[in-house]
Amino acid sequence: MKHLDEGDVVMDGGNSFWRDSMRREERVWEDGIYYLDTGTSGGPPGARDGACFMVGGREEGFEIAEPILDELSVDGGLLHVGPPGSGHFVKLVHNGVEFGMLQSIAEGVELLEAGDFDVDLEDVFNNWSNGSVIRSWLVELMRDQIGEDNYEDVPNYIEDTGEVNWLVQEAFKGETPIPVISQSVTELFKSRGNQEHAYQAIAAMRHGFGTHPFGEDDDILKERVTGRVDNVSRSHLEKDKERKEAVRPKDRMDLDD
């Protein structure tokens, strides 16, 4: 604050909590300083070629910063959303939508890998990138990542900085149902192996009410795989044991037996 003068503009381009941005704007406005919560999307490519900005703050402050932001944004990628806090709020909703899209695409990969057909994932995602309803930058990124030589070495552990958690918490407070975004956050937690005791507890209870076995059981596995009259579509998948990936039924037994 001591380095700023009345009429100066501060732009926060990070993924800040919008209520923090509202508080900060109120504080600096006491000295006549504009504070713009500038939600920014596009990643490193956006920094090089033009980003997408969602800006909250006083209109006068936005007008001062607009020429700079217009130069840094892609066509159509600059929006003054509204009053202080609104820019970071819209950006966090954007991130929540992103989480849901990522999870949906990931589940599509899982289905393709587990299906009965030996499809080329890179070809499929390239096809989806051209004219399909779900074509998007994320689909294109998935196509490009599959084509990398080290794709199979990508770990199952997913890290994030937690901004979408704030969104889920606020949605719960306001009783706004967001099941897809909430579940996508939960899936990230699951990737970190945070549930060290939950499945142990479930196994214990199942044993208690139905004498279900602890751990793997070949007889139960056979019942699960052969207990249906109709065919079960599962392809045989090679598993890298060091990655500790889930064991599918056909990896553990010969269904012809």
Side-chain angles (χ1 to χ4, degrees):
M1 292 291 295
K2 66 181 180 180
H3 300 291
L4 302 174
D5 299 318
E6 181 178 352
D8 283 349
V9 178
V10 175
M11 289 185 288
D12 178 357
N15 289 323
S16 299
F17 183 42
W18 70 89
R19 298 194 190 281
D20 288 336
S21 300
M22 295 169 67
R23 173 178 53 81
R24 289 164 178 157
E25 192 279 338
E26 185 177 0
R27 168 63 187 90
V28 300
W29 184 244
E30 293 176 359
D31 292 338
I33 296 168
Y34 295 102
Y35 187 96
L36 302 179
D37 46 290
T38 309
T40 306
S41 183
R48 290 189 292 266
D49 304 321
C52 175
F53 297 110
M54 299 140 263
V55 186
R58 298 176 187 268
E59 180 71 35
E60 299 85 355
F62 175 74
E63 291 176 354
I64 296 172
E66 185 175 10
I68 298 173
L69 293 172
D70 186 61
E71 183 70 22
L72 295 173
S73 63
V74 296
D75 291 341
L78 174 60
L79 176 65
H80 181 227
V81 181
S86 62
H88 280 155
F89 173 73
V90 170
K91 177 53 167 57
L92 285 177
V93 172
H94 163 282
N95 288 8
V97 172
E98 175 188 296
F99 268 41
M101 293 173 69
L102 290 170
Q103 182 62 29
S104 178
I105 292 170
E107 291 176 9
V109 171
E110 190 70 34
L111 285 168
L112 291 170
E113 290 277 29
D116 208 30
F117 303 97
D118 185 18
V119 299
D120 187 302
L121 286 182
E122 187 176 0
D123 287 346
V124 169
F125 275 88
N126 184 63
N127 175 260
W128 288 355
S129 298
N130 292 277
S132 80
V133 172
I134 63 169
R135 64 187 184 275
S136 64
W137 188 36
L138 293 178
V139 169
E140 292 175 358
L141 289 176
M142 190 68 243
R143 174 199 62 197
D144 296 342
Q145 289 297 313
I146 292 171
E148 295 290 335
D149 292 336
N150 63 343
Y151 173 71
E152 293 299 328
D153 298 325
V154 175
N156 287 326
Y157 190 100
I158 304 171
E159 196 67 271
D160 81 303
T161 51
E163 298 97 358
V164 179
N165 300 10
W166 311 334
L167 194 66
V168 172
Q169 292 164 4
E170 289 290 317
F172 283 5
K173 290 179 183 178
E175 298 185 359
T176 303
I178 52 169
V180 173
I181 296 174
S182 299
Q183 184 62 31
S184 67
V185 173
T186 301
E187 292 297 325
L188 292 194
F189 296 161
K190 288 168 62 177
S191 79
R192 300 167 193 166
N194 288 340
Q195 288 191 329
E196 298 178 2
H197 309 292
Y199 300 116
Q200 180 185 37
I202 292 173
M205 288 183 285
R206 283 174 55 81
H207 183 76
F209 68 67
T211 64
H212 297 286
F214 295 122
E216 297 183 8
D217 185 281
D218 289 340
D219 291 333
I220 296 297
L221 168 63
K222 185 174 183 180
E223 174 64 22
R224 182 167 73 248
V225 175
T226 63
R228 294 174 58 180
V229 175
D230 56 324
N231 292 328
V232 178
S233 176
R234 280 290 187 182
S235 65
H236 179 74
L237 300 176
E238 293 291 337
K239 290 301 171 187
D240 180 358
K241 302 305 181 183
E242 293 182 357
R243 293 175 63 186
K244 299 181 180 179
E245 293 178 333
V247 177
R248 291 189 170 88
K250 287 183 67 175
D251 295 319
R252 289 175 50 195
M253 65 180 295
D254 187 348
L255 294 183
D256 294 332
D257 291 344

